[in-house]
Amino acid sequence: MVEKSPHNKIKNSYLCPKFSNIIHLQFEILHRDSYSSARAGLLTTDHGLIESPFFMPVGTAGAVKAMHIRELSDDIHAQIMLSNTYHLYLRPGVDIISKAGGLHKFNGWSKPILTDSGGYQIYSLGDIRKFTDDGVIFQSHIDGSKHLFTPEKAIDVQRELGADIIMAFDECTPYPCDEAYARKSMKRTHYWLSRCVSHFGKTECQHGYTQSLFPIVQGSVYPELRVESARFIASQGASGNAIGGLSVGEPAGMMYEMTGLVCGILPEDKPRYLMGVGTPANILESIALGIDMFDCVIPTRNGRNGMLFTRSGIINIKNEKWKDDFSPLERDGDVFADLQYTKAFLRHMFISKEILGAMIATTHNLGFYIWLMKEARKQISEGTFSAWKGRMVKQLMQRL
RNA sequence: GUGGUCGUAGCUCAGUUGGUUAGAGCGAUAGAUUGUGGAUCUAUAGGUCGUGGGUUCAAGCCCCAUCUUCCACC
């Protein structure tokens, strides 16, 4: 039994010409920073409100690895999680999740979900994929079986999964990449986007609530391509826009340059999502450029490998120097694991390859990232963001 | 006691008819990791080749003694 969404009744929801008959998620900007393009706002979905800017923990296969949804929700206060179309499509299969009543019902997470379309995964498959005019033929990394993914297919699958925000099917342009290929790749992403938008308009969510489709800017590291792509994406009138193809190996300065350029073109009154970014410093710098949404595997994947992000800097908990450090992971932390466990104990867990080590580090890191976003929102609302950011970037990235 | 066998890095082991500075895997110590492989990759440290003699231009390798491991037989 799917609950009737209260947000279907929102009065000032508006219809966009290209997204006719779709009720959008709302975005309201509450505060703006005077010294940068940072802003703090509120996003409304059928599964609840999200304060921005925010970070989305990555739950590839429908779960954030090494975490219960209770911790994700009640301990670290995640507002939304990200999941992956490609992985869920291959396993357990869309039919199973649809039969469960959608991804929210399947994994028990009742807050908002965003699904990535699978474009990035197919990009990272490397040799076992082939582009055609229609889409991409790729081989499953699980059993080698062949699959054809098209823009229409990506939309259909995401309709069945039922995430609140779904992503257009794009090609994540590799780096480095010459301008000719970057242009061809961008054009392909634009062509696919048109098909995604068209198909999105003809279909609806299978599980009784609304979904929003975000298009993705490409263009590699070429300013003129980024500008062209951002204009095309902006012209679609979507309720939120994403920037892809960054943080794929290019220097950080280039990433900021492209992000700033694109943010200046994408609509000011819609949320902007910088895909796959990044380190705490990357995120703070990008907030200053006007980004509202982030996702990244760093806090979870690197956490599982022993890298801890703390308010005073970065720790490799496997280093010998922590073996007899009985101080808590984060003295001023507000996550259970921060005060409950010492550095020496966590090191012991990692050295012993205990599963608990991955659990503690994941909880801690995500707690830290989400605290960082909350603090950023507070600093923006109080008008102190830029000075605070300057101090934090240095402090957070130093090695302890 | 007799005969055979084993001994090389923290661990498990390679090491050619004697020939450059004795290697590997694991472990250890560090580093990488950006729309997820609990994955992977990279680097570094670590050896009186059981011990003591001998042969030889040259010995982990051949010879002698001795200690040690395991096996068989009295």
Side-chain angles (χ1 to χ4, degrees):
Chain A
M1 181 71 185
V2 177
E3 285 178 349
K4 185 101 181 163
S5 164
H7 300 291
N8 287 339
K9 298 172 193 157
I10 290 170
K11 287 176 191 157
N12 55 354
S13 288
Y14 55 92
L15 300 178
C16 142
K18 292 197 178 179
F19 283 77
S20 56
N21 80 14
I22 305 299
I23 298 173
H24 289 66
L25 82 169
Q26 275 195 296
F27 181 55
E28 188 185 353
I29 295 175
L30 303 174
H31 304 281
R32 289 172 202 281
D33 182 45
S34 317
Y35 305 97
S36 74
S37 300
R39 64 264 187 90
L42 199 59
L43 208 66
T44 307
T45 76
D46 283 2
H47 286 92
L49 304 176
I50 310 171
E51 293 179 78
S52 74
F54 58 91
F55 180 81
M56 302 180 275
V58 177
T60 305
V64 174
K65 293 183 197 299
M67 277 193 90
H68 284 294
I69 52 173
R70 185 177 60 190
E71 293 180 291
L72 199 58
S73 172
D74 300 349
D75 192 7
I76 70 167
H77 306 295
Q79 305 185 86
I80 173 172
M81 71 175 280
L82 179 146
S83 206
N84 200 278
T85 302
Y86 166 83
H87 292 267
L88 294 171
Y89 162 81
L90 289 180
R91 192 165 57 192
V94 195
D95 50 340
I96 298 293
I97 293 172
S98 196
K99 194 174 173 184
L103 188 52
H104 291 87
K105 290 284 194 300
F106 187 56
N107 73 359
W109 175 256
S110 54
K111 292 185 184 181
I113 297 176
L114 179 148
T115 44
D116 189 15
S117 67
Y120 185 82
Q121 280 61 47
I122 288 166
Y123 143 84
S124 56
L125 286 173
D127 291 339
I128 53 174
R129 60 158 162 54
K130 204 172 92 181
F131 290 101
T132 71
D133 291 340
D134 203 27
V136 183
I137 296 167
F138 66 93
Q139 273 184 277
S140 161
H141 70 283
I142 298 169
D143 61 6
S145 55
K146 284 196 171 73
H147 302 266
L148 171 65
F149 241 59
T150 62
E152 291 77 17
K153 176 91 174 177
I155 296 297
D156 284 339
V157 172
Q158 292 187 91
R159 284 298 202 187
E160 297 275 358
L161 296 177
D164 300 87
I165 300 172
I166 69 176
M167 302 304 299
F169 188 59
D170 69 331
E171 181 190 352
C172 181
T173 309
Y175 179 86
C177 168
D178 63 58
E179 189 166 358
Y181 185 82
R183 181 179 297 280
K184 187 179 160 194
S185 169
M186 179 193 77
K187 293 284 186 193
R188 177 148 55 202
T189 288
H190 292 177
Y191 169 57
W192 285 355
L193 174 62
S194 303
R195 287 167 55 188
C196 281
V197 169
S198 166
H199 197 67
F200 184 71
K202 291 179 202 157
T203 55
E204 50 189 36
C205 181
Q206 306 296 299
H207 308 294
Y209 44 86
T210 61
Q211 294 181 291
S212 297
L213 171 67
F214 281 24
I216 304 170
V217 174
Q218 288 291 341
S220 188
V221 295
Y222 302 101
E224 55 278 21
L225 295 185
R226 283 285 171 182
V227 167
E228 184 182 338
S229 187
R231 285 184 179 144
F232 181 77
I233 268 54
S235 76
Q236 302 297 307
S239 49
N241 299 288
I243 305 172
L246 292 176
S247 66
V248 286
E250 79 286 359
M254 229 170 227
M255 174 171 78
Y256 298 141
E257 189 194 337
M258 295 302 120
T259 301
L261 189 62
V262 169
C263 282
I265 297 168
L266 292 179
E268 220 274 331
D269 59 344
K270 306 285 176 57
R272 305 189 187 110
Y273 167 24
L274 182 55
M275 305 182 80
V277 173
T279 64
N282 291 158
I283 288 177
L284 294 185
E285 296 293 0
S286 301
I287 288 173
L289 296 170
I291 299 292
D292 309 290
M293 304 166 58
F294 300 91
D295 80 280
C296 189
V297 303
I298 283 180
T300 41
R301 181 201 283 163
N302 290 18
R304 287 194 304 276
N305 290 315
M307 190 172 180
L308 295 191
F309 295 91
T310 76
R311 298 182 194 187
S312 42
I314 296 171
I315 288 175
N316 181 347
I317 200 65
K318 291 193 281 194
N319 287 3
E320 195 168 26
K321 62 182 162 188
W322 306 114
K323 71 180 175 187
D324 56 355
D325 186 323
F326 305 113
S327 63
L329 301 180
E330 186 86 80
R331 209 170 282 287
D332 303 317
D334 43 18
V335 170
F336 173 75
D338 291 346
L339 298 171
Q340 180 65 32
Y341 297 107
T342 65
K343 298 181 183 79
F345 179 72
L346 183 55
R347 174 173 195 271
H348 166 61
M349 291 291 97
F350 269 93
I351 298 299
S352 310
K353 302 193 191 306
E354 286 285 340
I355 293 171
L356 185 60
M359 295 168 67
I360 293 169
T362 299
T363 317
H364 165 79
N365 277 354
L366 283 179
F368 168 80
Y369 263 65
I370 283 163
W371 166 83
L372 186 66
M373 303 307 275
K374 184 180 169 187
E375 194 62 20
R377 293 194 296 269
K378 180 174 162 239
Q379 299 287 339
I380 292 169
S381 72
E382 291 175 354
T384 50
F385 175 77
S386 289
W388 171 80
K389 186 207 79 177
R391 289 197 307 275
M392 291 305 275
V393 163
K394 277 188 195 162
Q395 186 178 319
L396 298 179
M397 296 313 286
Q398 69 182 340
R399 302 276 168 166
L400 298 180

